[in-house]
Amino acid sequence: AQTVTQSQPEMSVQEAETVTLSCTYDTSESDYYLFWYKQPPSRQMILVIRQEAYKQQNATENRFSVNFQKAAKSFSLKISDSQLGDAAMYFCAYYRNAGNMLTFGGGTRLMVKP
Amino acid sequence: DAGITQSPRHKVTETGTPVTLRCHQTENHRYMYWYRQDPGHGLRLIHYSYGVKDTDKGEVSDGYSVSRSKTEDFLLTLESATSSQTSVYFCAISDLAGRPYNEQFFGPGTRLTVL
């Protein structure tokens, strides 16, 4: 079974600074997707960014970017120019087409200091 | 936003009572899922459905049953609620049609407390 590990239960960052959230996963598959979801206090799950395993180029969405290291099975999220609205729980998730199932990490709570 | 609603949004119940949570979608998506969220565990899949009357177990299915008699509704039932089932429950929907992968869209969640 696939496992996803987020080793940082909590992180904090100063407003306008950059922070990186870590995620590692375990799989024997070659065709899969990786995601970062944001969950603000409203509890709504919001997709932040996704990475296809077959793509070598790291995904970027505005202030959010990933560092995808396939051989190391590492998938970190970098948030640049942090804003107060970035404060939330962040979940790393793994998906493989064959199984049609998402596997989530335990989450990292990000606090943004003004 | 995907049209997904969950009812009720909050519920407090007693140990041993039956509880049914409802997920309703207006997107005509084929797949529907029930997850539970607990501190330190992220979201874990309970059951999912790949069509009307077609369901399968997920990672943490013990103590739960599901039913899907219509495309738009997916029910999660706790036959006899226990305190360990106190959690936040999320419904999600997805469909492969026209997409490179089965992206899941999440409902707003239901907070269930079993006393």
Side-chain angles (χ1 to χ4, degrees):
Chain A
Q2 287 73 35
T3 58
V4 178
T5 303
Q6 295 178 246
S7 59
Q8 307 151 315
E10 283 192 358
M11 294 280 287
S12 67
V13 62
Q14 205 71 34
E15 195 176 7
E17 298 292 308
T18 295
V19 65
T20 298
L21 309 184
S22 301
C23 173
T24 58
Y25 59 97
D26 183 29
T27 185
S28 57
E29 303 290 332
S30 59
D31 181 20
Y32 55 89
Y33 294 79
L34 296 164
F35 307 91
W36 280 98
Y37 282 87
K38 172 185 178 182
Q39 187 182 44
S42 67
R43 288 206 306 250
Q44 186 66 46
M45 294 291 287
I46 302 165
L47 179 63
V48 174
I49 197 166
R50 77 165 186 264
Q51 175 77 44
E52 293 88 339
Y54 64 86
K55 289 187 177 179
Q56 292 186 338
Q57 186 173 3
N58 289 324
T60 299
E61 290 286 345
N62 300 314
R63 299 182 294 108
F64 298 86
S65 62
V66 299
N67 184 4
F68 174 47
Q69 301 289 328
K70 190 172 184 179
K73 296 178 183 175
S74 169
F75 182 61
S76 61
L77 175 70
K78 185 172 82 171
I79 306 175
S80 304
D81 185 27
S82 296
Q83 301 175 359
L84 295 178
D86 294 334
M89 284 290 291
Y90 286 82
F91 293 97
C92 178
Y94 166 98
Y95 172 87
R96 64 184 181 98
N97 279 326
N100 189 32
M101 287 169 50
L102 268 175
T103 301
F104 285 85
T108 297
R109 181 175 302 281
L110 178 66
M111 295 172 285
V112 180
K113 299 177 182 177
Chain B
D1 290 344
I4 313 169
T5 56
Q6 293 184 229
S7 57
R9 295 292 313 279
H10 299 88
K11 186 171 182 66
V12 180
T13 190
E14 301 279 332
T15 296
T17 60
V19 175
T20 295
L21 308 183
R22 180 186 183 227
C23 178
H24 179 78
Q25 59 145 330
T26 58
E27 305 295 321
N28 199 36
H29 279 12
R30 176 183 176 188
Y31 298 90
M32 298 185 75
Y33 312 80
W34 277 108
Y35 291 88
R36 60 177 288 173
Q37 182 180 14
D38 305 291
H41 289 282
L43 276 70
R44 291 180 292 174
L45 183 66
I46 304 171
H47 282 279
Y48 70 98
S49 169
Y50 45 96
V52 173
K53 292 186 168 52
D54 292 323
T55 65
D56 205 349
K57 295 179 179 180
E59 179 187 359
V60 289
S61 59
D62 288 348
Y64 302 94
S65 62
V66 290
S67 65
R68 190 168 179 201
S69 58
K70 298 184 289 185
T71 298
E72 56 266 34
D73 288 327
F74 193 33
L75 304 181
L76 177 70
T77 297
L78 292 65
E79 300 290 347
S80 178
T82 67
S83 58
S84 65
Q85 294 175 312
T86 292
S87 187
V88 179
Y89 291 85
F90 284 92
C91 175
I93 65 173
S94 70
D95 202 295
L96 265 170
R99 298 185 177 88
Y101 72 99
N102 222 351
E103 180 176 354
Q104 295 186 20
F105 301 91
F106 288 85
T110 294
R111 180 176 293 279
L112 176 67
T113 302
V114 183
L115 301 176

